[in-house]
Structures are given as structure tokens and as C-alpha cells.
Amino acid sequence: MMTLDINLGHKSYKIYIKRGIISQLGRLLTKTNDEKIAVITDSNIYKLHGKKISDALSDFDMGFIVVEPGEKSKSITTLQYVYKQLLNLKITRSDTIITFGGGVVGDLGGFAASTFLRGIPYFQIPTSLTAQIDSSIGGKVAVDLPEGKNLVGSFYHPDAVFIDPDFLETLDERFFSDGMAEVIKYGCIDDSALFERLMGYKSKKDLLTDMEQIIYKCCSIKKNFVEEDEKDTGRRMILNFGHTFGHAVEKYFNYNKYTHGEAVAVGMYKITKKSEEMGITKPGTHNLIKNILTKYKLPYEIADADNRAILKAIEVDKKNKGPYIDIVLLKSIGDSFIKRINRDDIFMYFS
Ligand code: GLY
């Protein structure tokens, strides 16, 4: 089993990575009293894997809270439903929540845990690739508002994260590629060896064979950024490489044409193409990104779209600061930095 420790001043917790770890959950969650466990999940994951969790937790008094799959569940309405179910299960502050699913369930359930009764301990069991290498790590939990994604949330870390790469085997191809966009991002921002390794796989089977190491590598990169800048006011923003344009693309298409990873893929390519033209980025870098995105069945351009209209969507992005906007650029693959630019200059970087 591979483990990583997230060490924050006020809290430390472990990330466990192992195929089949779900079956050992009952042993890993030491039972100290008669605590109850509420498992928040979505109906797809419940159908596919719910029994694995209830079998693993057979010694515990546990109940499921099942929400609809998809981003629409990251809403105040679903959050209210979750609170009601937590009340029905008579969850108290000495009980525990488990979020069991992809990013939506992790963010929604984590936010419910952070706010219900002013905070309940919780564990993350991410099942999608994006959740395993990104959203379950680092304590960001939130719900969306009609005006934008993640507009209501907090930083609330789990007591542990249990990552079982076996869940990736039931993941739809498109959502596997979606997660690969974030894996590629880690290579771009911090680790050229990871980037090359990803370029070198001959088949998905080869990649899956290495998946524990790949997940470990991504989580350790994220751990470093989170430990250095937990509240996302400085270096952690590097993790947003490709996200300024990516978020705008998602919003412009009402979150129903491109997945998050696909939108980020386009964002990474477009900004690098531009920064290369400006002489900031090593020549040839945008082509390397294009090649790796193509290899992992990800888009690098948006068809039939008006860039200016897409960029207008950036205006509601919560990360904007007054007249400036922070963007992430590459010097070369594996070497990134934050550049603060005038908001009005944003078009220069994506046009
Ligand atoms: N997904 C970016 C972050 O957690 O900061």
C-alpha cells in the first residue's frame, strides 16, 4: 500500500492508495464507539459499488444517502436534501460521513460535512480519476450557484482519503480521458518525467498497470502545493493551469458540451500556444501538449466558438481579483509560473 501524509499546521491526514483497498475499509476505520456512518454517494456508484461498501462496513451502523449523478447535484437544493437525510439517520458530531463517488459527491458531501452541526469528521473515497488525483485532495469542498461553479464552499479536510484504482475499471472512456487531462496538467506544471512517461505508454492497459504510481505521483505534486499554500492565495494557483479558459468554456456551453477535463485541455493548449508566440514559453511546447492531448483523446481547440464571448464568462470567475487576473504559464514542460496581468489584457493570451 502506498501512503502520503498531508501535513498542514492545524491538521494532518493520510492518503492511502491501493487496489482493492475498499475491502479493507472496516479495518482501516478503527471503531472506537458506537458511531454511525453516513455514506454519501450517487445512484450510479451506489448500483455499481454500494454493496462493496456495506460489506466492508458490516460492523458499523451505517446508512446511504444517494443523490442523482452529475453536476446538477452540486446544488443548494441537493445539499438541503443531504442535511435532511443526515437528520433522518440521526448523525451527530461523534459520527462520521464518507463521501463515496466522483468530484460532485466529494465536493457536495465534503461541504455537507463541513457545515452540518458545524462540522462532522469525514473520509473521502474517490471513484473517478479526477477525484482520485485532484478533487479529493486538498480540502476544497463546495456547491454551485446558478451564477457559477463552487461559489459557496469552504476548506475542510477529510480525516483520510482512500484511493482504490480498481474503481477506474468501471469508468466510462470519456470520463477516464477527462481525468487524464488533470494528470497531463501535473506533468505540464511540475514534472517533465511524468509527461514523458505518459507519452510513452503504448496502450491503456500499460497505463492502468502503472496507475497506482501515476496516482501517487499526482497526489504528491498536489500535496506539495497544498501544504505550501492551503488557502489558494499563492502557489496553489499553479494547479489552475488551463483552468481560466477552461472554466469559461464550461460555462459558455452551460456545462453540457465539454467535460471539465476537456475544457481544461483546450485551456492548456491555447494559453501555451499564445505564450510561445510571445516568447515566454520554450518553442515546441504547444505541439508537445497537442500531441499528448490527442493521444489521450482530448480536444485542444474549440470549434465554432467565439473566443471573446467565452472569455466574458471569466468575469464571474471567483478567482478574479479587481483589475487583475492571475494566469498560469509554462516556461517549458514541467516548469510553470503565475503571471498577474491586467484584466483587459486577457484577450491577448487566448485570442
Ligand atoms: N483543483 C485545484 C485545487 O485544488 O487547488
Side-chain angles (χ1 to χ4, degrees), residues 185-216:
K185 177 197 78 181
Y186 285 115
C188 289
I189 58 171
D190 200 58
D191 193 335
S192 58
L194 171 63
F195 191 94
E196 278 162 31
R197 190 168 167 179
L198 295 172
M199 248 349 253
Y201 290 116
K202 296 272 181 289
S203 65
K204 186 173 172 194
K205 190 165 163 280
D206 287 354
L207 168 68
L208 284 176
T209 307
D210 262 4
M211 215 56 204
E212 277 169 325
Q213 280 90 30
I214 298 285
I215 292 170
Y216 180 86

Side-chain angles (χ1 to χ4, degrees), residues 74-88:
K74 248 178 84 172
S75 66
I76 300 279
T77 313
T78 312
L79 181 66
Q80 203 168 10
Y81 169 77
V82 170
Y83 292 145
K84 286 214 166 109
Q85 296 307 307
L86 289 168
L87 288 172
N88 289 343

Side-chain angles (χ1 to χ4, degrees), residues 134 180-189 239 241 243 268:
D134 183 16
M180 285 309 296
E182 298 281 355
V183 177
I184 291 165
K185 177 197 78 181
Y186 285 115
C188 289
I189 58 171
L239 296 170
F241 175 54
H243 283 58
M268 294 192 290

Side-chain angles (χ1 to χ4, degrees), residues 51-69:
K51 187 164 176 336
K52 290 181 196 137
I53 282 265
S54 46
D55 286 352
L57 297 179
S58 56
D59 285 349
F60 291 80
D61 178 4
M62 58 91 69
F64 284 99
I65 298 175
V66 182
V67 302
E68 288 302 307

Side-chain angles (χ1 to χ4, degrees), residues 124-136:
Q124 290 258 19
I125 307 181
T127 56
S128 69
L129 181 53
T130 310
Q132 295 192 342
I133 53 136
D134 183 16
S135 57
S136 69

Side-chain angles (χ1 to χ4, degrees), residues 20-83:
I21 196 174
I22 186 101
S23 60
Q24 297 167 28
L25 207 56
R27 188 172 57 75
L28 289 162
L29 303 181
T30 328
K31 196 167 158 56
T32 49
N33 54 29
D34 285 336
E35 78 263 34
K36 289 192 278 295
I37 300 180
V39 180
I40 303 177
T41 190
D42 73 37
S43 54
N44 285 343
I45 297 295
Y46 179 73
K47 268 183 241 141
L48 283 168
H49 306 297
K51 187 164 176 336
K52 290 181 196 137
I53 282 265
S54 46
D55 286 352
L57 297 179
S58 56
D59 285 349
F60 291 80
D61 178 4
M62 58 91 69
F64 284 99
I65 298 175
V66 182
V67 302
E68 288 302 307
E71 187 73 28
K72 65 182 181 307
S73 281
K74 248 178 84 172
S75 66
I76 300 279
T77 313
T78 312
L79 181 66
Q80 203 168 10
Y81 169 77
V82 170
Y83 292 145

Side-chain angles (χ1 to χ4, degrees), residues 134-135 137-140 155 182 185-186 222 225-226 229-230 232 236-237 239-240 243 260 319:
D134 183 16
S135 57
I137 319 289
K140 280 188 183 173
F155 290 90
E182 298 281 355
K185 177 197 78 181
Y186 285 115
K222 180 143 188 189
F225 283 104
V226 169
D229 172 29
E230 183 197 349
D232 200 11
R236 183 168 175 170
M237 280 190 252
L239 296 170
N240 287 328
H243 283 58
H260 175 70
K319 291 181 194 77

